[in-house]
Amino acid sequence: MTDDDISKAKIVGDFKKLFAKLMDQTVSLTEEAGTSVTGVDKESYDATVSALKQEMENQKKSLTKHWKTLVQIVLSFPKKTVKI
């Protein structure tokens, strides 16, 4: 993800995509780093990565719920009173 990607985000769907991309990159980089972990540390590292993945999925679900609520609130206002 780049600064340009972030600056181009304008609507809720853009931000949801950015968050998903950030999660995917985090998992990818973490798994890549894990290839250098060996021996006894590997099991602990894998368990930590698994917990990280689960927490990110939970955050994604939570964020989706909050975005839906925000959209509903914004859409409930008359169009000419909302400036985004």
Side-chain angles (χ1 to χ4, degrees):
M1 181 180 324
T2 65
D3 289 342
D4 190 47
D5 292 333
I6 295 168
S7 67
K8 288 180 181 177
K10 302 294 180 202
I11 60 174
V12 170
D14 296 340
F15 289 101
K16 287 173 66 176
K17 288 176 188 173
L18 282 174
F19 188 71
K21 186 175 182 179
L22 176 62
M23 286 188 353
D24 291 346
Q25 286 180 341
T26 300
V27 169
S28 178
L29 291 171
T30 303
E31 288 176 340
E32 184 180 322
T35 61
S36 65
V37 179
T38 59
V40 180
D41 296 328
K42 181 69 173 162
E43 186 176 321
S44 176
Y45 187 87
D46 289 345
T48 301
V49 170
S50 179
L52 171 69
K53 287 179 186 179
Q54 184 59 51
E55 182 57 31
M56 286 193 298
E57 282 302 316
N58 293 342
Q59 291 300 321
K60 183 179 177 182
K61 289 176 186 175
S62 178
L63 185 61
T64 296
K65 178 183 170 186
H66 292 297
W67 282 123
K68 286 180 182 179
T69 302
L70 177 63
V71 167
Q72 290 172 348
I73 291 169
V74 169
L75 291 176
S76 70
F77 289 101
K79 192 171 184 172
K80 56 182 156 176
T81 62
V82 178
K83 293 183 180 181
I84 297 179

